[in-house]
Amino acid sequence: MRSSRKRQILAATTLLMVLTCTISISSATGGDTFTDISSSYELVPEDGTVKVSREITFHNNDPDTKYWRGYYSNYNSYLPEGALNIEVFDEENSMAFSKSGEGYYVFYFNNKVWYEESYTFHVDYEIEINKNTAVFSLSEYGDNVEVTLEVPADFETHLSRDDYKVEEKMYSSVYIFEKGQSWDKACNVNSVRASPRLTLKDTAHLQERDVDIEVKYWEGEEEWAQDTMQTTIESLELLEETWGVAYPPEYNITITQANLTETGGYGGFNQGRNGIWLLYTSNHGILVHELAHYWTRACNFDQLWMDEGYADLYAYIVLNEMAPEEAESRRERFLKKYEELYDEYDFPLSDWNTPDTLNSDTEEHVDFGYKKAFSLTYTLYETIGIQALQQANLEFVESSDGIDNIDYLEIIGSVSSTDTEFVEEYLYN
C-alpha cells in the first residue's frame, strides 16, 4: 500500500516538472531556440497556383528545458491569407494544426522536443493566382532561411528586393535567396505573362458627347476589366462635375492592362490619345489619377507639381464620392508619407521633376514630390473650397499660354479672398 502511494506521489511530481512550452516565431531568438527554414515557391499558371513547400527544422537550445524540466510541443508560423490545401507533416506522419488568428497557424509536433533536440517537419500549401498574372509575397520568418522562386520563362517577374541571384533553366528562371539573408520584411512578387489581350467595350455618356471606352486585358483578368470599366465611366462623370469642365479631349479612351516595364515602374501612365497603360495591380485611386490627367493637360499647366498634384487631388475628390473609406485611407496615407519623408527629401516644388523610369534609387525622391504636391493641392482645396477651385480651373483652361508658378499664384489669388500665402511656401521653400 505504501509502495503504491509513493508511486502516485512520484508520478504527480514528474507531471509538475514536465511543463509543456509553446514557442512563437517572434520569440525564437537569443540562442534559446533556432530554426532552419528552406522554402520553395513554384509558379504553376496552368493550375492557377503558386505551390509553396517549406521544410522547417526546429532546434531546442533553451536552458529552461534542461534536465527534463520541460519541452517544446508546437510551433507558430505565418501563412498568407487565402492559403489553400495546407498540409503539415514530419518524416513519418501528418501533423495537426490550427489557425490562431491574423494569419498565424499553430503546428503541433508529433514528438516532444527536449533540450538539445531538433525536430524537422514540412508545410505545403498553395496560393491562388490568375492564368497570366501572379501577385504574392515571399513571407519568411526564421533564423537561417533560404528561399527559391521558380517562374516559367515566359513570365516577366519583378521582385521588391534585389539581393538574389538568378539561375536560368531551359523553361524557367529560378530566383535564389541564399541562407543568412535578412527576412525582416516580405518580398513582393509581381509576375506577368505577356499574351494577346482581350477587349471589353462600353460607352460613357458625358456632358457634351459620348466617349467610347475600351479596356484591354489578359485572359483570366475579366473581373479586373469589368471593375476598371465601371470605375472609369463613373469617374469620368464625377470628374466633369467636380472639375467644372466637360471632358476636354476629342478622342475616346483605351485602358490597357500592363506590366511594370510598360508603365516605366509607375502605377499608371497616361499617353493621351494612345490611352492609359495601367499596372495590373493598381488600385482605383491610380486609375482615377490617370483619368484626371485628361483635365490637367487641358489646364495648360507647365509645372509638374500642378499636373500631378491636381491629378491626385481630384482622385481624392472623386473617390470621396464613390468610396469614402477608400478616399480617406488614401488621403491619410499620402499626408503621413509626406511627413515621414519631409526631413530627408524636402525640396521646393518649383524644382521638381521625375525620371522616365522609376527604380529603387529614385523611388523615395519621386514619391516625396507626389506627396508634397498632394499636400499643397489638398490644403488649398480645404482652404478655398471646390467652387473657387472650379473658377480657377476655367481660367486655366481658357489661358492660351502655359500656366507657370506666377500665373498660378495670380489666378488662385483672384478667385478667393482667403489667405493662400502658404502656396508660395510649398513652391519656393
Side-chain angles (χ1 to χ4, degrees):
M1 188 73 176
R2 294 178 63 186
S3 176
S4 174
R5 175 66 174 167
K6 183 176 181 180
R7 284 197 299 272
Q8 291 177 359
I9 294 173
L10 286 174
T13 303
T14 302
L15 182 62
L16 289 171
M17 290 176 63
V18 180
L19 302 175
T20 301
C21 302
T22 301
I23 182 69
S24 66
I25 294 300
S26 60
S27 64
T29 57
D32 291 345
T33 61
F34 191 85
T35 51
D36 283 303
I37 298 178
S38 179
S39 295
S40 66
Y41 295 74
E42 182 185 3
L43 189 64
V44 187
E46 291 72 20
D47 294 344
T49 62
V50 177
K51 297 187 183 298
V52 184
S53 182
R54 183 173 291 149
E55 181 182 272
I56 302 172
T57 300
F58 172 77
H59 307 278
N60 177 12
N61 298 319
D62 185 352
D64 289 340
T65 62
K66 270 186 176 182
Y67 311 117
W68 297 84
R69 289 182 297 194
Y71 55 81
Y72 283 82
S73 62
N74 55 57
Y75 185 85
N76 294 352
S77 184
Y78 173 82
L79 297 185
E81 188 67 29
L84 304 171
N85 303 322
I86 303 170
E87 296 182 2
V88 186
F89 53 94
D90 60 20
E91 301 303 326
E92 297 180 353
N93 300 296
S94 61
M95 293 167 52
F97 63 92
S98 63
K99 190 172 183 180
S100 61
E102 297 185 358
Y104 281 88
Y105 286 73
V106 182
F107 305 124
Y108 300 97
F109 300 157
N110 288 328
N111 302 323
K112 300 170 183 176
V113 185
W114 301 96
Y115 179 63
E116 293 187 334
E117 289 185 347
S118 299
Y119 186 79
T120 298
F121 65 100
H122 304 263
V123 180
D124 291 352
Y125 61 93
E126 297 176 350
I127 303 170
E128 189 174 14
I129 60 170
N130 288 331
K131 181 178 180 180
N132 292 305
T133 60
V135 182
F136 59 99
S137 295
L138 310 180
S139 300
E140 298 294 332
Y141 302 86
D143 302 293
N144 195 22
V145 180
E146 63 177 349
V147 178
T148 61
L149 165 65
E150 186 168 5
V151 179
D154 56 348
F155 273 72
E156 180 182 312
T157 301
H158 294 267
L159 306 184
S160 63
R161 50 190 284 180
D162 55 12
D163 52 342
Y164 57 84
K165 63 181 182 180
V166 182
E167 179 182 314
E168 298 292 352
K169 295 185 176 182
M170 183 175 294
Y171 300 110
S172 66
S173 298
V174 181
Y175 299 81
I176 302 170
F177 294 87
E178 297 179 335
K179 280 190 175 181
Q181 295 176 224
S182 172
W183 283 92
D184 55 348
K185 62 180 181 179
C187 176
N188 298 320
V189 180
N190 289 279
S191 193
V192 61
R193 173 167 51 194
S195 59
R197 293 179 173 94
L198 305 175
T199 302
L200 177 66
K201 297 181 179 182
D202 207 335
T203 301
H205 305 288
L206 302 182
Q207 292 176 11
E208 296 185 353
R209 72 180 186 90
D210 288 347
V211 177
D212 293 330
I213 313 295
E214 289 189 354
V215 177
K216 296 183 177 181
Y217 62 98
W218 292 301
E219 183 182 356
E221 294 286 344
E222 288 79 8
E223 184 177 347
W224 181 94
Q226 291 285 354
D227 181 67
T228 298
M229 179 65 77
Q230 180 180 342
T231 303
T232 296
I233 292 175
E234 188 174 354
S235 297
L236 289 172
E237 295 171 354
L238 287 169
L239 281 165
E240 284 192 324
E241 177 185 333
T242 57
W243 207 285
V245 176
Y247 175 71
E250 297 177 354
Y251 49 80
N252 297 316
I253 297 175
T254 299
I255 301 172
T256 303
Q257 188 177 40
N259 59 34
L260 278 166
T261 299
E262 292 168 323
T263 64
Y266 293 91
F269 185 33
N270 187 321
Q271 295 182 304
R273 189 178 294 275
N274 293 325
I276 294 171
W277 291 74
L278 191 67
L279 191 64
Y280 63 100
T281 58
S282 289
N283 55 34
H284 293 150
I286 293 176
L287 172 57
V288 181
H289 172 107
E290 297 306 328
L291 292 169
H293 275 311
Y294 290 120
W295 278 263
T296 64
R297 290 170 184 173
C299 284
N300 303 301
F301 293 144
D302 69 3
Q303 291 286 303
L304 178 64
W305 75 262
M306 301 176 194
D307 197 42
E308 299 299 344
Y310 268 73
D312 271 330
L313 172 64
Y314 276 88
Y316 165 76
I317 293 172
V318 168
L319 277 180
N320 201 38
E321 294 291 329
M322 296 168 54
E325 291 185 3
E326 187 176 346
E328 184 63 16
S329 174
R330 192 174 195 268
R331 183 191 70 85
E332 290 182 358
R333 188 171 69 253
F334 274 35
L335 296 179
K336 181 179 179 181
K337 196 63 178 288
Y338 168 60
E339 294 176 358
E340 291 173 350
L341 298 176
Y342 183 89
D343 289 340
E344 184 173 357
Y345 293 101
D346 187 40
F347 56 81
L349 277 176
S350 59
D351 295 339
W352 185 37
N353 56 68
T354 58
D356 292 334
T357 301
L358 196 63
N359 56 46
S360 58
D361 295 329
T362 59
E363 186 174 8
E364 293 276 75
H365 182 272
V366 170
D367 193 29
F368 176 78
Y370 276 93
K371 301 307 182 283
K372 185 170 185 177
F374 173 74
S375 179
L376 165 55
T377 55
Y378 176 76
T379 304
L380 185 66
Y381 163 68
E382 288 285 283
T383 302
I384 69 175
I386 189 67
Q387 291 184 342
L389 279 181
Q390 290 175 342
Q391 185 178 342
N393 291 340
L394 290 172
E395 295 198 35
F396 296 148
V397 171
E398 293 171 358
S399 173
S400 58
D401 299 322
I403 301 295
D404 61 17
N405 288 324
I406 295 174
D407 298 325
Y408 182 85
L409 291 169
E410 288 180 354
I411 291 173
I412 290 300
S414 70
V415 299
S416 175
S417 59
T418 306
D419 182 7
T420 56
E421 289 186 4
F422 65 88
V423 176
E424 293 189 52
E425 291 292 318
Y426 278 93
L427 297 186
Y428 303 118
N429 296 313

